[in-house]
Amino acid sequence: QEQQSNPSDVKSDVQFTFVGTETVTVPASTYTTASKYAVTTNGQTVYYWTASGVPGFIKMQYGSSEGSMVTELNGWG
């Protein structure tokens, strides 16, 4: 089993991809130019949406054969 000495190191099998820009509505607001990213590791993909001026992500979505999860921004500031 491979271990890493620094937890901040990103393993080489992680793929971080910009998917595109789209409109996303979450409880905090509607963002017309949200940036969508896909992060894939170990055959699993998680999608993140970010918006200009918002710290962190506005939405995260994950799904697998074991279930799915969606996290949305309710508000900030």
Side-chain angles (χ1 to χ4, degrees), residues 24-65:
V24 175
T25 299
V26 295
S29 188
T30 295
Y31 300 94
T32 57
T33 58
S35 298
K36 182 179 181 180
Y37 298 91
V39 180
T40 303
T41 183
N42 298 325
Q44 304 291 331
T45 301
V46 179
Y47 295 98
Y48 294 92
W49 288 261
T50 62
S52 179
V54 179
F57 58 86
I58 59 170
K59 183 176 178 178
M60 179 184 74
Q61 180 177 324
Y62 167 80
S64 73
S65 60

